Amino acid sequence: WNMWRLALLAVLAVASASRSPACGTWTSGCYPSIAMDGFYIQSTIIFDVFSYPPGPYPSVDPVNSIGAYNQIDYVFDNAQCSGNNILEVGRVGQWIDQGNLPPTLNRLVALSSTITQITPNTPAVATRLSTSCGCQNPTLWSSGTMRTITVCPGALGVCTIPWLALNGPDRIQFASIRANLNVLNMSWAVSNSSIFNQNTSTPIAFTQSTACSVATPLNSSVCGEYTSDCRGSSDGLYNVQTSINMYGDDVGYFQKQYTLYSPTDVTCTQGTRASYYLEGTFAVHNLSDCNNDCSDSTEIEMFVTLARIRVDDLYLLQFMASSCACSSAGPIWKLGVATTVTTCPENTCNNGRWLEFADGLPWATRLPSYGNFLHYLTASGREFLAFTPFSITPDDYSNSFQLTNIAYHNTAAGDCENNTNPLYGTYSSPSCGAIAEHWVNAEMTQVFQGNTSGNYSRLISVFPASDITCSQPMMNLNMSGFFTLGGPSDCGGSCNYGTTLELTIENITATVVFWDPVIMSSFQMSCPCGGISYAIGQTTTIVSCPPLDCELGEFNGVDGLPVGHPGTPVYGTVSHAGDRLSTTMFAEDEAVGFNTPFSSAAMVLLQSAPSPPPPPPSPPPPPAPPSVPPS
């Protein structure tokens, strides 16, 4: 029980804000279980807070205060809780203050346990647990042996000891609370509806032993590698573990793995039922208040460029086939086979529960997603990264943190070098991937032949959305010009990590070659350029076009570099950290270009080869031989 006891000792300072009055560490006297089944309990509960509405309490209602909780129950067979306990129950999870319970002054609190650890200390209690709380394997209950439980599904899973809170989605307990100075009166209920009908247990008085422990926001970069605890899935049918690697500061790329395991595999190590791998790009924006429901969170935009899905469970395969065939010709998924996709055709995938990966991050829509994240240090010393549910509504950052939100603890620094290295070099897409809001895949290469100025080129190759290996090009568009690097840029206030610099590109020319007649026809309509003739397989050079005669729209939607305007410089921001490079959208207006924030649609490139440094200056010519006077 060391992990529980250490957690109870951690205390952080409290600032004045609208945090739930439940926040703090509370210890009860001896009370009967809600089921009145002969068990008597003495509890200690610690409520940490990591997100809450901004503003002072109580003038601002702390509804949606959310945080981590630890709970230890010592269970006895007598009403004085004397002698040795017969059962110990420890829980770790998340909790949320859901607001007032009219007509009373009480508040509704819901607690969702990630992990429950139970130790029966007598043979009689072990036998009772075997018959009343099988949790997949009744034989695992043994006196003196701690059992870790994440879910209890199926015929052997239903637990008839309700106060253990092992059944149902997210293993939720409900309580009605009322705080008065340092006393918290808490009444337990078996369901949300029971709370609202005031069908609760007799209030139990908890005395505050330590003050509210508030997580410390970490204003440092989100960059790092994070892994969740092994926990039960939302519907209680599987155990799940999620990892997410964030590479970048203001802009970067991510890799996310969501893996399902057997409900009996409480360590998430014994063979997978399904795995979902996503990669894509992200851009960090401004501080967010989640529509006045949270504090210390930051807006983030994410875009999935590639998904790789493998299903090893027949039930999940049938679910995938019915809810996300990902093809108008029928399901593309096969049992035990990893399938890579960059998109699903319209109306072939409804992004069901397993497909949104617990936080609503969609992968089949080719649309950016908007949400908030919180990067913080809990009172018990763990570093976490948590996300709100995501929305595909443009610039919608209003979602609040949810009870079932997954938090991740930092496991490694990852590729988080954030110094700006010399710029010269060649930078390429790490993999074939989707382009936001365009039904094609693409690869990009940028070359900078200098550190602060020099020749510049950018090649983008476009492929069909079905070409997940980028092996059948439809067109190549190569832009070349001259770049100049300026001073630091804050992207209009949304870049904060010192790796962004102003970038100017001028004297831009373009060459284009097509292999697909449809995309060539579309390009011809967007860029007639005074009557230039395009032909399949033929390279065409575009230097200068009549005014408004080459407005490419979707063709320069990746970064906005204009075609056919050779005398017009463009302005933007480049982020160069470690071996990663991204640019914002360019604009012909300097003020606009230097103040444009990054978007998740920005392609994140990795340095693939350094450019040779500029050649040294030529040595001066040798001095002329002395003249010989005439004889």
Side-chain angles (χ1 to χ4, degrees):
W1 292 103
N2 285 339
M3 61 179 288
W4 312 99
R5 293 192 175 108
L6 287 174
L8 295 176
L9 295 176
V11 181
L12 289 182
V14 183
S16 175
S18 184
R19 303 182 181 105
S20 170
C23 184
T25 301
W26 307 87
T27 302
S28 76
C30 189
Y31 64 92
S33 78
I34 187 174
M36 304 298 290
D37 49 10
F39 288 119
Y40 295 85
I41 306 169
Q42 192 172 45
S43 299
T44 298
I45 302 177
I46 182 170
F47 291 114
D48 291 342
V49 172
F50 60 74
S51 181
Y52 46 87
Y57 176 81
S59 59
V60 173
D61 186 357
V63 63
N64 288 326
S65 283
I66 188 170
Y69 87 97
N70 294 342
Q71 179 177 343
I72 303 177
D73 295 335
Y74 297 100
V75 184
F76 299 84
D77 57 4
N78 62 84
Q80 293 75 41
C81 292
S82 60
N84 295 325
N85 67 75
I86 59 175
L87 181 68
E88 296 179 26
V89 181
R91 299 181 182 90
V92 169
Q94 290 176 279
W95 71 283
I96 186 169
D97 184 324
Q98 296 185 320
N100 285 323
L101 282 166
T104 71
L105 296 178
N106 293 1
R107 304 184 67 81
L108 171 62
V109 169
L111 304 89
S112 173
S113 60
T114 303
I115 297 172
T116 304
Q117 293 181 326
I118 302 176
T119 305
N121 289 324
T122 68
V125 172
T127 300
R128 183 166 179 179
L129 290 171
S130 302
T131 57
S132 302
C133 261
C135 288
Q136 294 290 303
N137 193 340
T139 63
L140 292 180
W141 293 112
S142 176
S143 179
T145 301
M146 184 181 72
R147 183 175 176 187
T148 299
I149 295 174
T150 50
V151 292
C152 277
L156 296 177
V158 175
C159 183
T160 58
I161 304 178
W163 55 270
L164 286 177
L166 297 176
N167 301 327
D170 304 309
R171 295 139 309 277
I172 291 179
Q173 303 177 84
F174 295 95
S176 171
I177 66 164
R178 185 170 181 179
N180 182 18
L181 298 178
N182 66 337
V183 176
L184 182 75
N185 289 302
M186 182 176 294
S187 303
W188 297 102
V190 295
S191 69
N192 192 324
S193 60
S194 296
I195 286 277
F196 281 101
N197 293 330
Q198 301 179 35
N199 181 17
T200 62
S201 67
T202 301
I204 304 146
F206 284 75
T207 303
Q208 189 174 55
S209 54
T210 57
C212 179
S213 300
V214 181
T216 304
L218 297 176
N219 296 321
S220 58
S221 164
V222 74
C223 191
E225 299 179 359
Y226 304 83
T227 303
S228 74
D229 294 322
C230 182
R231 63 166 294 164
S233 60
S234 292
D235 63 1
L237 296 178
Y238 301 91
N239 284 317
V240 298
Q241 191 167 45
T242 306
S243 65
I244 186 165
N245 302 337
M246 306 287 288
Y247 302 125
D249 303 306
D250 299 298
V251 64
Y253 70 97
F254 71 90
Q255 299 167 322
K256 184 174 183 179
Q257 181 84 33
Y258 183 78
T259 309
L260 279 71
Y261 297 85
S262 160
T264 60
D265 182 3
V266 297
T267 59
C268 291
T269 58
Q270 301 171 15
T272 63
R273 296 294 182 89
S275 63
Y276 303 85
Y277 168 82
L278 306 178
E279 63 182 48
T281 53
F282 71 88
V284 173
H285 294 309
N286 303 307
L287 292 177
S288 172
D289 66 2
C290 312
N291 201 22
N292 288 321
D293 273 346
C294 69
S295 63
D296 298 321
S297 64
T298 304
E299 297 170 353
I300 188 168
E301 178 186 341
M302 303 184 79
F303 174 65
V304 177
T305 59
L306 178 147
R308 186 176 300 115
I309 297 174
R310 172 177 171 142
V311 181
D312 297 285
D313 181 281
L314 186 58
Y315 166 75
L316 285 177
L317 184 69
Q318 293 169 344
F319 175 81
M320 292 282 291
S322 62
S323 66
C324 184
C326 203
S327 169
S328 56
I332 65 173
W333 321 108
K334 294 180 173 59
L335 195 67
V337 176
T339 303
T340 300
V341 295
T342 57
T343 190
C344 290
E346 199 168 2
N347 300 320
T348 64
C349 186
N350 67 2
N351 279 322
R353 58 180 175 179
W354 296 118
L355 309 182
E356 293 190 352
F357 311 104
D359 52 20
L361 182 63
W363 57 269
T365 63
R366 289 186 175 259
L367 295 172
S369 299
Y370 306 89
N372 301 296
F373 74 85
L374 196 68
H375 188 200
Y376 58 95
L377 188 70
T378 68
S380 55
R382 296 185 74 192
E383 183 181 350
F384 278 78
L385 178 67
F387 295 94
T388 61
F390 282 84
S391 168
I392 59 174
T393 301
D395 300 320
D396 180 6
Y397 301 104
S398 63
N399 284 332
S400 304
F401 289 91
Q402 302 296 311
L403 182 63
T404 55
N405 178 60
I406 295 178
Y408 311 87
H409 54 85
N410 184 261
T411 52
D415 179 17
C416 291
E417 183 182 356
N418 61 3
N419 60 298
T420 303
N421 292 329
L423 187 60
Y424 71 78
T426 299
Y427 302 84
S428 302
S429 304
S431 62
C432 177
I435 298 180
E437 301 185 49
H438 295 78
W439 291 92
V440 293
N441 295 332
E443 290 181 327
M444 180 190 282
T445 298
Q446 293 191 61
V447 179
F448 293 85
Q449 294 183 325
N451 287 333
T452 58
S453 64
N455 291 328
Y456 166 83
S457 64
R458 186 217 70 182
L459 171 65
I460 182 166
S461 301
V462 177
F463 305 84
S466 58
D467 182 6
I468 60 173
T469 60
C470 286
S471 59
Q472 304 164 29
M474 302 165 70
M475 68 171 285
N476 282 348
L477 177 61
N478 189 50
M479 314 280 284
S480 59
F482 188 86
F483 83 91
T484 303
L485 208 58
S489 170
D490 68 356
C491 313
S494 67
C495 292
N496 305 295
Y497 296 105
T499 59
T500 51
L501 298 171
E502 296 173 348
L503 178 65
T504 303
I505 300 177
E506 49 195 331
N507 301 329
I508 299 170
T509 61
T511 58
V512 61
V513 59
F514 301 97
W515 293 275
D516 180 88
V518 175
I519 202 168
M520 183 180 73
S521 176
S522 180
F523 193 97
Q524 174 82 63
M525 293 176 62
S526 299
C527 187
C529 197
I532 286 181
S533 177
Y534 302 101
I536 294 294
Q538 174 183 301
T539 299
T540 302
T541 299
I542 306 172
V543 178
S544 180
C545 301
L548 304 179
D549 210 20
C550 193
E551 304 302 314
L552 288 180
E554 72 269 22
F555 291 101
N556 64 9
V558 174
D559 55 18
L561 280 181
V563 173
H565 305 180
T568 305
V570 294
Y571 308 91
T573 296
V574 61
S575 171
H576 180 218
D579 63 351
R580 304 179 302 275
L581 182 138
S582 296
T583 58
T584 60
M585 290 288 288
F586 289 94
E588 295 180 5
D589 183 296
E590 179 177 326
V592 172
F594 289 157
N595 287 282
T596 298
F598 281 95
S599 161
S600 65
M603 298 184 75
V604 178
L605 310 181
L606 301 181
Q607 188 165 22
S608 54
S611 295
S618 301
S627 59
V628 179
S631 55

